[in-house]
Amino acid sequence: QVQLVESGGGLVQAGGSLRLSCATSGLTFSWFGMGWFRQAPGKEREFVASVSKSGTSTIVADSVKGRFTISRDNAKNTVYLQMNSLKPEDTGVYYCAAGWSFNLRSPSQYNYWGQGTQVTCSS
């Protein structure tokens, strides 16, 4: 069965950094574009970043551009989200997702999801 397991979340002060990981199993990882989404309390799930199947192409949301970087290691079946210069508005549950293409910005376009990891940034 397909599993996506996020890790690396936590509590950090504004300006700090975190690196999220999403380990996958049960799927052919290199066949999937991967994405990160986040959801703050009372808000809809929003797109954060996406990486192509090979890892050569990435795209990030305007709200995190210049601060967040997405990458993947196909040998380890893992996708990462490096988050620098964190702000309180980055607080939320972060989810990784697998989809059949790249640059998919709607949650409904993804086939598999992890359970999420909490990121809290205090001012």
Side-chain angles (χ1 to χ4, degrees):
Q1 100 230 34
V2 176
Q3 286 191 311
L4 284 69
V5 180
E6 301 96 336
S7 61
L11 175 64
V12 63
Q13 289 189 328
S17 297
L18 285 173
R19 189 194 195 204
L20 305 184
S21 299
C22 172
T24 72
S25 61
L27 54 74
T28 305
F29 185 66
S30 61
W31 289 3
F32 289 85
M34 298 299 296
W36 285 97
F37 287 75
R38 66 187 181 187
Q39 189 166 19
K43 295 189 176 181
E44 292 187 351
R45 194 167 297 189
E46 66 170 345
F47 171 80
V48 175
S50 175
V51 61
S52 63
K53 299 172 186 180
S54 64
T56 54
S57 297
T58 63
I59 191 162
V60 296
D62 288 344
S63 59
V64 304
K65 195 167 292 183
R67 300 188 297 121
F68 289 13
T69 303
I70 186 172
S71 63
R72 66 190 292 162
D73 186 337
N74 283 355
K76 296 183 178 180
N77 297 333
T78 301
V79 61
Y80 305 97
L81 186 68
Q82 178 66 45
M83 307 187 295
N84 299 329
S85 302
L86 281 158
K87 303 176 181 180
E89 51 263 45
D90 295 318
T91 293
V93 178
Y94 282 69
Y95 299 89
C96 70
W100 287 111
S101 187
F102 165 58
N103 194 17
L104 303 175
R105 299 192 180 226
S106 171
S108 63
Q109 294 175 300
Y110 286 82
N111 302 84
Y112 303 106
W113 290 85
Q115 82 291 343
T117 185
Q118 176 70 45
V119 171
T120 303
C121 181
S122 62
S123 57

